[in-house]
């Protein structure tokens, strides 16, 4: 069972001329799911930025299995599977009615915004970063 699932509907703006979701939009869905995961745990990107903290993608690997289509309802999971003092690996999947469409491993790094240098997870994030 996943720690968190975010649901999105596919709109025409997400698709190509054939009504199939454009590949980069899966990454946008995953980004939104991670933001909603933070919100679910009482944190907001805006608050982290106000503290001088940025969470940025450092590395990702993505595998596309099947296409999503216009008007599909997609479910995007968020799970922390590994973490260090300033980096975490998220496993994310995009499914439609239980069918896996896309999966990714996304490495996120915690940075001090002013210097763009890695820093330890803030206290509020510490409990969330243990997969």
């Amino acid at each position: 069972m996943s720690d968190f699932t975010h649901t999105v509907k596919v709109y025409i703006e997400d698709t190509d001329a054939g009504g199939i979701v454009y590949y980069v939009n899966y990454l946008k869905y995953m980004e939104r799911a991670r933001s909603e995961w933070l919100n679910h745990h009482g944190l907001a990107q805006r608050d982290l930025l106000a503290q001088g903290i940025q969470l940025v993608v450092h590395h990702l690997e993505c595998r596309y299995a099947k296409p999503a289509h216009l008007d599909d309802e997609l479910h995007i999971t968020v799970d922390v599977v590994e973490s260090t003092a300033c980096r975490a690996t998220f496993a994310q999947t995009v499914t439609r009615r239980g069918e896996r469409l896309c999966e990714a491993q996304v490495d996120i790094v915690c940075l001090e915004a002013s210097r763009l240098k890695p820093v330890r997870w803030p206290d509020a994030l510490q409990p969330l970063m243990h997969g």
Side-chain angles (χ1 to χ4, degrees):
M1 185 72 175
S2 179
D3 176 42
F4 180 79
T5 301
H6 177 64
T7 302
V8 298
K9 181 177 178 182
V10 176
Y11 294 105
I12 192 72
E13 67 192 29
D14 301 324
T15 67
D16 61 17
I20 293 174
V21 171
Y22 185 61
Y23 77 95
V24 75
N25 287 328
Y26 292 93
L27 302 179
K28 290 180 181 182
Y29 299 153
M30 290 179 195
E31 178 75 33
R32 288 180 200 152
R34 289 191 308 276
S35 291
E36 291 300 329
W37 173 80
L38 281 171
N39 292 336
H40 173 77
H41 290 291
L43 300 166
Q45 296 275 8
R46 174 182 46 237
D47 296 336
L48 293 172
L49 286 171
Q51 296 171 34
I53 298 294
Q54 282 185 295
L55 305 180
V56 299
V57 174
H58 171 39
H59 177 83
L60 72 85
E61 292 182 25
C62 189
R63 181 183 328 254
Y64 300 94
K66 296 183 178 185
H69 301 91
L70 180 62
D71 292 329
D72 281 349
E73 182 178 87
L74 306 178
H75 303 281
I76 301 93
T77 62
V78 178
D79 291 294
V80 176
V81 294
E82 183 181 347
S83 66
T84 66
C86 63
R87 182 189 60 78
T89 300
F90 288 80
Q92 294 193 257
T93 59
V94 177
T95 60
R96 176 187 54 222
R97 294 183 305 276
E99 179 180 40
R100 187 173 295 218
L101 306 181
C102 179
E103 61 187 3
Q105 296 279 323
V106 184
D107 288 347
I108 302 293
V109 176
C110 184
L111 297 181
E112 182 184 337
S114 64
R115 297 182 313 130
L116 297 178
K117 298 288 184 185
V119 294
R120 297 182 74 76
W121 298 111
D123 290 343
L125 280 172
Q126 290 278 342
L128 302 178
M129 293 305 162
H130 301 288

